[in-house]
Structure formats: structure tokens, C-alpha cells
Amino acid sequence: MTSEWSPSSWQSRPAAQQPPWPDEAGLERAIKHIGSLPPLVFAGEARALTAQLAQVAEGQAFLLQAGDCAESFDAFSADAIRDKLKVILQMAVVLTYSTGVPVLKVGRIAGQFAKPRSSPTETIEGVELPSFRGHMVNDIVPTEAARVPDPERLVQAYHQSAATLNLLRAFTKGGFADLSRVHQWNQEFVASSPEGRRYDRMADHIGRALRFMAACGIDTVSQPSLHEVDFFTSHEALVLGYEQALTREDSITGRWYDCSAHMLWIGERSRQIDGAHVEFLRGVDNPVGCKVGPGATADEVLALCEALNPDRVPGRFTLITRMGAGQIATRLPPLLAAVRDAGHPVVWACDPMHGNTFTSDTGRKTRDFDAVLAEIAGFFAAHWDEGTWPGGVHIELTGEDVTECLGGGDALGHADLDDRYETMCDPRLNGRQSIDLAFQVAELLDRH
Ligand code: TRP
Ligand code: PEP
Ligand code: MN
């Protein structure tokens, strides 16, 4: 693990979950092309995120990482991006206002196009097909031809990421995220619900607080922090050829950054300590994360800390636990204790989605809002017991009014799932469920 690193050194390690590209020459061409294109994010931004995550590691801030399970090449409109941003801003403002703790906003967005699969094939209406691996690789349409990995999709993923980032930068720095617009992030289908009305009441209080500060003589007009947010991007660093092509040497520090996103994480299925994904991410200076499921041992987790953050830089490494509501109380505490006792400065984030997925009576992959909430409650409880900081949450959501997860304020039942089940991959919380969750997380944080 201490051997020389280069952007291609991962190639000598076993790489899990890589698509079986049939067109090798096309793959090489696409990767070379991406390598000649400008970086999507800049080293200085990644360093800024590490610094902010260091605040989380120290218990001074909270991480909200959220977005689609898989972004789509089809659902690519300014409105969809704006609505996703709206719900994340709403959750952030709920958490910030209710807890008084700074909230980092990191999207699963502008690059979340590749999916690990538990099986290389899936059976759809009796036909066995290669699995859908995300729009960066193949198409979701259930035909043999659509499922062939197409390297040109890597280039398309780059361009869609660039356009998404451009819009996010405009929205977050150009007035849309201004605290005076806090009411306007509340979409109609949310505003008419109890969670939405609760949100509107809180927004009234924020408006009042801003007017109070202005009346006290504080210059709220020229204070940029009231009008803008820092919004960062992240995705699972899965297809390593793509990540390598966007890995660039920073001219200021001489260090390597994966400029496809500010933060990258390793999935539960590709976190082998001697595998290609750990090898690749150990050498880039971005903040990095790793998912850990219920099978993870304390030794494995400590080995990941050592491999990915040997210098123990606070903010460099985030452990994203996804144990399942039923297992969190037994699986998480030994990991918290081991990492704490080893003195590793990690950010602990709770992914309450991936350990709570099941197939509904009607054959839909779904999650129950109550299980999501129960896992978060278990996450907080474990941290309070161990004296560690529950640094954040990692959520799959959308701004749209979808019906993919059960429960929540409108008590979606099994029969409702067919109404608007639109996800490309895993079931996401809709706008109402997301706001509801933010209030409940804020209460859990505050109760301590
Ligand atoms: N800039 C501050 C922050 O990001 C305050 C802020 C402005 C804010 N707009 C926001 C917070 C939207 C949450 C959501 O915390
Ligand atoms: C995901 O985040 O969409 C995912 C596949 O998670 P995990 O690696 O934890 O299963
Ligand atoms: Mn997912």
C-alpha cells in the first residue's frame, strides 16, 4: 500500500464492478478525449471542502450529502436540477436554523452516473439481460442492444456534469440561494402539506430574524454569506478510467486531484483494501469517502483509514455507514470505538437508505420512511454513547413528487408506489419526505 502511486497505478489491482466494455478501442478513444478536456472542479475548491469537513470531524459542523441514486441522461433539465437544489437548500436551512450548527451542502450530483450491481445480469419479464450500470455505461431500456456498454457515454457524462455544475454554480452564487428567498424553495406539493406548513412557519421566523438584525444596524445587504451558499459535488468513483482521465496535477501544490467532483467515495462493493478503488483514491488529494455495511469489521475499517488517510488529515476521510435500521445498534458502536481509540479524525456520516431496501408486495424496490428514520436515530444514539460526533447524513432524494419510498407524512402505501415510480435505480425520498426527515434529524441533533 505504500508503493508509488500514479493516476494509473490502480490498473495493476483487481478492479471490482468495471463494465465489460466490448469496444476497447472506443474506450481508449473516449478516455483520451476526456483527458484533453478541462477539469470540472478545481483543486482549491476540493481543499476548501476538506477544510469544511475538518470542522465536521471536530464536531463543529454537520454534513448534508444528498441527491439521486443515479442521475439520468434523459431527466436533464434546468427545472429538475433547480428542484433538486431547492429541496437540499430547504433541508439545509431547516438543519441550520433548528440546530445552530453550520451545514455543509454536498450533492450526489453532476457526475453520479455509474452504478455498482450485485449481479451482472437481471431478469426482466422473463428475459435475462446485462444489468443497467448507470447512464455513463449503458441504457436502462430492457433490450440486449441498449445494455451493451458504450464508451461514448463517458464523454456524454462529462458534458452533462459540466452543464449541471454550471447551473449549480449560477443558482448558488447568483441569488437563487439567497436567504430572503427561503419561502420560494417550498414547492407547491410540499407547501400544502403539514411538513410544508411547518417549513413556511420556520421561513417566517428566518425573515423576522433577518429584519431584526438589519434593524439592529447589521449590514445584511452586503453580507455575502446571507445571499450565497457553498455547494459541492460528489459521486461514487466507480468507473476508474473516467476518474483517471479527469485526474490532474495541481499547478500550485504539485498534488493530484480527481477533478470530476469535489468529493469522491468508494462503494460498499468496491472497498477491498488491495483493490483498485482504494489504490486510486489514496493518491488523490480530494476529500474521499467510503461506504461501510453491516459486514465491515473494525480491522477493515481501520485499514481503510490507514490506506486512505495515513497522515490523519481532518476532513480528508468520511466513513459513510449503511447498516440497516435493524443492525445499526450492534454494528456501529464497535467501529466508532475502534476508530476513536486509534485517533483517526474521520467524519462519520449515516446513509440510512442502502441498508433498508426491500422489494414491496407489488415487486417495487422500496424503502420505508420509518426505517430510514430509525437508522438515523440509531446512528445518533451510538454516537452519543461512544462520545463521538454524528457528523452527517447521506440521503437519496429528489425534488419531484415521486412515490418510491413508503410512509412519511402522506403515508404512502404499497399500492401507491406505482403512481409515480420514476427512479433510474434505488427509491428516493420525495420533496415532502425529505423536508419531514430534515425536521426530525434536526430534533435528534438538538435533543442532545
Ligand atoms: N451561506 C450560509 C450557509 O450556507 C447561509 C445561507 C444562505 C443558507 N443561503 C442558504 C443556508 C440556504 C442554507 C440554505 O449556511
Ligand atoms: C449508492 O450509494 O447508490 C450505493 C450503491 O451504495 P452502497 O455502495 O452503499 O451500496
Ligand atoms: Mn443507491
Side-chain angles (χ1 to χ4, degrees), residues 68-70 108 112 115 291 351 353-354 365 367 396 425-427:
D68 271 310
C69 177
R108 285 174 65 113
Q112 177 57 22
K115 298 312 297 172
K291 295 283 200 90
D351 166 357
M353 315 300 293
H354 289 89
K365 209 203 254 192
R367 294 158 174 158
E396 288 184 347
C425 193
D426 290 339

PDB file of all heavy atoms in Angstrom, residues 68-70 108 112 115 291 351 353-354 365 367 396 425-427, ligand 3:
ATOM      1  N   ASP A  68     -29.673  12.160  -6.206  1.00  0.00           N
ATOM      2  CA  ASP A  68     -30.189  10.948  -6.835  1.00  0.00           C
ATOM      3  C   ASP A  68     -29.354   9.730  -6.506  1.00  0.00           C
ATOM      4  O   ASP A  68     -28.153   9.835  -6.265  1.00  0.00           O
ATOM      5  CB  ASP A  68     -30.122  11.107  -8.358  1.00  0.00           C
ATOM      6  CG  ASP A  68     -31.373  11.745  -8.899  1.00  0.00           C
ATOM      7  OD1 ASP A  68     -32.465  11.270  -8.553  1.00  0.00           O
ATOM      8  OD2 ASP A  68     -31.249  12.713  -9.667  1.00  0.00           O
ATOM      9  N   CYS A  69     -29.991   8.552  -6.590  1.00  0.00           N
ATOM     10  CA  CYS A  69     -29.208   7.320  -6.587  1.00  0.00           C
ATOM     11  C   CYS A  69     -28.377   7.293  -7.856  1.00  0.00           C
ATOM     12  O   CYS A  69     -27.170   7.100  -7.820  1.00  0.00           O
ATOM     13  CB  CYS A  69     -30.116   6.094  -6.529  1.00  0.00           C
ATOM     14  SG  CYS A  69     -29.166   4.570  -6.610  1.00  0.00           S
ATOM     15  N   ALA A  70     -29.050   7.502  -8.980  1.00  0.00           N
ATOM     16  CA  ALA A  70     -28.364   7.574 -10.270  1.00  0.00           C
ATOM     17  C   ALA A  70     -28.955   8.738 -11.049  1.00  0.00           C
ATOM     18  O   ALA A  70     -30.167   8.813 -11.220  1.00  0.00           O
ATOM     19  CB  ALA A  70     -28.560   6.284 -11.054  1.00  0.00           C
ATOM     20  N   ARG A 108     -25.144  14.630  -4.375  1.00  0.00           N
ATOM     21  CA  ARG A 108     -24.846  13.461  -5.214  1.00  0.00           C
ATOM     22  C   ARG A 108     -25.302  13.901  -6.585  1.00  0.00           C
ATOM     23  O   ARG A 108     -26.410  13.595  -7.020  1.00  0.00           O
ATOM     24  CB  ARG A 108     -25.688  12.252  -4.803  1.00  0.00           C
ATOM     25  CG  ARG A 108     -25.317  11.510  -3.537  1.00  0.00           C
ATOM     26  CD  ARG A 108     -26.350  10.422  -3.211  1.00  0.00           C
ATOM     27  NE  ARG A 108     -26.398   9.350  -4.203  1.00  0.00           N
ATOM     28  CZ  ARG A 108     -26.044   8.089  -3.993  1.00  0.00           C
ATOM     29  NH1 ARG A 108     -25.617   7.708  -2.812  1.00  0.00           N
ATOM     30  NH2 ARG A 108     -26.134   7.200  -4.958  1.00  0.00           N
ATOM     31  N   GLN A 112     -22.994  11.609 -10.887  1.00  0.00           N
ATOM     32  CA  GLN A 112     -23.442  10.345 -10.276  1.00  0.00           C
ATOM     33  C   GLN A 112     -24.147   9.497 -11.348  1.00  0.00           C
ATOM     34  O   GLN A 112     -25.365   9.340 -11.346  1.00  0.00           O
ATOM     35  CB  GLN A 112     -24.339  10.675  -9.069  1.00  0.00           C
ATOM     36  CG  GLN A 112     -24.966   9.494  -8.353  1.00  0.00           C
ATOM     37  CD  GLN A 112     -23.976   8.471  -7.840  1.00  0.00           C
ATOM     38  OE1 GLN A 112     -22.802   8.758  -7.625  1.00  0.00           O
ATOM     39  NE2 GLN A 112     -24.422   7.249  -7.664  1.00  0.00           N
ATOM     40  N   LYS A 115     -23.351   2.887 -11.646  1.00  0.00           N
ATOM     41  CA  LYS A 115     -23.893   2.089 -10.546  1.00  0.00           C
ATOM     42  C   LYS A 115     -23.210   0.736 -10.413  1.00  0.00           C
ATOM     43  O   LYS A 115     -23.057   0.014 -11.401  1.00  0.00           O
ATOM     44  CB  LYS A 115     -25.385   1.829 -10.768  1.00  0.00           C
ATOM     45  CG  LYS A 115     -26.258   3.062 -10.815  1.00  0.00           C
ATOM     46  CD  LYS A 115     -26.010   4.034  -9.683  1.00  0.00           C
ATOM     47  CE  LYS A 115     -26.306   3.472  -8.304  1.00  0.00           C
ATOM     48  NZ  LYS A 115     -25.846   4.432  -7.249  1.00  0.00           N
ATOM     49  N   LYS A 291     -18.139   3.803   1.813  1.00  0.00           N
ATOM     50  CA  LYS A 291     -19.336   3.216   2.416  1.00  0.00           C
ATOM     51  C   LYS A 291     -18.907   1.996   3.237  1.00  0.00           C
ATOM     52  O   LYS A 291     -18.026   1.232   2.816  1.00  0.00           O
ATOM     53  CB  LYS A 291     -20.294   2.751   1.317  1.00  0.00           C
ATOM     54  CG  LYS A 291     -20.867   3.860   0.458  1.00  0.00           C
ATOM     55  CD  LYS A 291     -21.983   4.613   1.173  1.00  0.00           C
ATOM     56  CE  LYS A 291     -22.838   5.339   0.159  1.00  0.00           C
ATOM     57  NZ  LYS A 291     -23.942   4.562  -0.333  1.00  0.00           N
ATOM     58  N   ASP A 351     -25.719   6.820   6.044  1.00  0.00           N
ATOM     59  CA  ASP A 351     -26.550   6.556   4.863  1.00  0.00           C
ATOM     60  C   ASP A 351     -27.672   5.632   5.338  1.00  0.00           C
ATOM     61  O   ASP A 351     -27.461   4.439   5.515  1.00  0.00           O
ATOM     62  CB  ASP A 351     -25.690   5.901   3.771  1.00  0.00           C
ATOM     63  CG  ASP A 351     -26.517   5.271   2.644  1.00  0.00           C
ATOM     64  OD1 ASP A 351     -27.756   5.280   2.715  1.00  0.00           O
ATOM     65  OD2 ASP A 351     -25.911   4.757   1.694  1.00  0.00           O
ATOM     66  N   MET A 353     -30.260   4.753   3.777  1.00  0.00           N
ATOM     67  CA  MET A 353     -31.025   4.275   2.632  1.00  0.00           C
ATOM     68  C   MET A 353     -30.673   2.826   2.271  1.00  0.00           C
ATOM     69  O   MET A 353     -31.540   1.968   2.141  1.00  0.00           O
ATOM     70  CB  MET A 353     -30.766   5.149   1.392  1.00  0.00           C
ATOM     71  CG  MET A 353     -30.780   6.662   1.620  1.00  0.00           C
ATOM     72  SD  MET A 353     -32.316   7.357   2.258  1.00  0.00           S
ATOM     73  CE  MET A 353     -33.461   7.139   0.940  1.00  0.00           C
ATOM     74  N   HIS A 354     -29.364   2.575   2.076  1.00  0.00           N
ATOM     75  CA  HIS A 354     -28.968   1.337   1.401  1.00  0.00           C
ATOM     76  C   HIS A 354     -29.061   0.074   2.248  1.00  0.00           C
ATOM     77  O   HIS A 354     -29.055  -1.023   1.714  1.00  0.00           O
ATOM     78  CB  HIS A 354     -27.578   1.500   0.779  1.00  0.00           C
ATOM     79  CG  HIS A 354     -27.626   2.427  -0.401  1.00  0.00           C
ATOM     80  ND1 HIS A 354     -27.466   3.798  -0.256  1.00  0.00           N
ATOM     81  CD2 HIS A 354     -27.902   2.210  -1.701  1.00  0.00           C
ATOM     82  CE1 HIS A 354     -27.610   4.366  -1.441  1.00  0.00           C
ATOM     83  NE2 HIS A 354     -27.874   3.433  -2.335  1.00  0.00           N
ATOM     84  N   LYS A 365     -38.817  -2.086  -5.803  1.00  0.00           N
ATOM     85  CA  LYS A 365     -37.749  -1.889  -4.838  1.00  0.00           C
ATOM     86  C   LYS A 365     -38.116  -0.641  -4.049  1.00  0.00           C
ATOM     87  O   LYS A 365     -38.379   0.426  -4.632  1.00  0.00           O
ATOM     88  CB  LYS A 365     -36.453  -1.666  -5.614  1.00  0.00           C
ATOM     89  CG  LYS A 365     -35.187  -2.108  -4.887  1.00  0.00           C
ATOM     90  CD  LYS A 365     -34.012  -1.368  -5.424  1.00  0.00           C
ATOM     91  CE  LYS A 365     -33.102  -2.160  -6.316  1.00  0.00           C
ATOM     92  NZ  LYS A 365     -31.833  -1.394  -6.542  1.00  0.00           N
ATOM     93  N   ARG A 367     -38.200   1.571   0.143  1.00  0.00           N
ATOM     94  CA  ARG A 367     -37.689   1.763   1.499  1.00  0.00           C
ATOM     95  C   ARG A 367     -38.798   2.399   2.305  1.00  0.00           C
ATOM     96  O   ARG A 367     -39.591   3.167   1.761  1.00  0.00           O
ATOM     97  CB  ARG A 367     -36.485   2.718   1.489  1.00  0.00           C
ATOM     98  CG  ARG A 367     -35.286   2.155   0.785  1.00  0.00           C
ATOM     99  CD  ARG A 367     -34.340   3.226   0.319  1.00  0.00           C
ATOM    100  NE  ARG A 367     -33.127   2.618  -0.222  1.00  0.00           N
ATOM    101  CZ  ARG A 367     -32.308   3.215  -1.066  1.00  0.00           C
ATOM    102  NH1 ARG A 367     -32.547   4.448  -1.474  1.00  0.00           N
ATOM    103  NH2 ARG A 367     -31.231   2.589  -1.507  1.00  0.00           N
ATOM    104  N   GLU A 396     -30.671   9.607  -0.410  1.00  0.00           N
ATOM    105  CA  GLU A 396     -31.123   9.576  -1.803  1.00  0.00           C
ATOM    106  C   GLU A 396     -32.500  10.235  -1.877  1.00  0.00           C
ATOM    107  O   GLU A 396     -33.463   9.766  -1.247  1.00  0.00           O
ATOM    108  CB  GLU A 396     -31.153   8.139  -2.332  1.00  0.00           C
ATOM    109  CG  GLU A 396     -29.732   7.629  -2.549  1.00  0.00           C
ATOM    110  CD  GLU A 396     -29.621   6.244  -3.152  1.00  0.00           C
ATOM    111  OE1 GLU A 396     -30.617   5.511  -3.202  1.00  0.00           O
ATOM    112  OE2 GLU A 396     -28.499   5.893  -3.561  1.00  0.00           O
ATOM    113  N   CYS A 425     -32.752   3.964 -10.471  1.00  0.00           N
ATOM    114  CA  CYS A 425     -32.089   2.879  -9.725  1.00  0.00           C
ATOM    115  C   CYS A 425     -32.797   2.684  -8.390  1.00  0.00           C
ATOM    116  O   CYS A 425     -33.868   2.091  -8.354  1.00  0.00           O
ATOM    117  CB  CYS A 425     -30.604   3.218  -9.587  1.00  0.00           C
ATOM    118  SG  CYS A 425     -29.607   1.831  -9.045  1.00  0.00           S
ATOM    119  N   ASP A 426     -32.241   3.212  -7.291  1.00  0.00           N
ATOM    120  CA  ASP A 426     -32.867   2.989  -5.983  1.00  0.00           C
ATOM    121  C   ASP A 426     -33.991   4.006  -5.713  1.00  0.00           C
ATOM    122  O   ASP A 426     -33.969   5.111  -6.245  1.00  0.00           O
ATOM    123  CB  ASP A 426     -31.817   3.126  -4.871  1.00  0.00           C
ATOM    124  CG  ASP A 426     -30.824   1.979  -4.875  1.00  0.00           C
ATOM    125  OD1 ASP A 426     -31.138   0.920  -5.432  1.00  0.00           O
ATOM    126  OD2 ASP A 426     -29.733   2.164  -4.314  1.00  0.00           O
ATOM    127  N   PRO A 427     -34.937   3.624  -4.822  1.00  0.00           N
ATOM    128  CA  PRO A 427     -36.045   4.513  -4.468  1.00  0.00           C
ATOM    129  C   PRO A 427     -35.568   5.724  -3.655  1.00  0.00           C
ATOM    130  O   PRO A 427     -34.766   5.591  -2.734  1.00  0.00           O
ATOM    131  CB  PRO A 427     -36.948   3.627  -3.612  1.00  0.00           C
ATOM    132  CG  PRO A 427     -36.041   2.569  -3.067  1.00  0.00           C
ATOM    133  CD  PRO A 427     -35.000   2.333  -4.114  1.00  0.00           C
TER     134      PRO A 427
HETATM  135 MN    MN B   3     -28.419   3.901  -4.376  1.00  0.00          MN
END
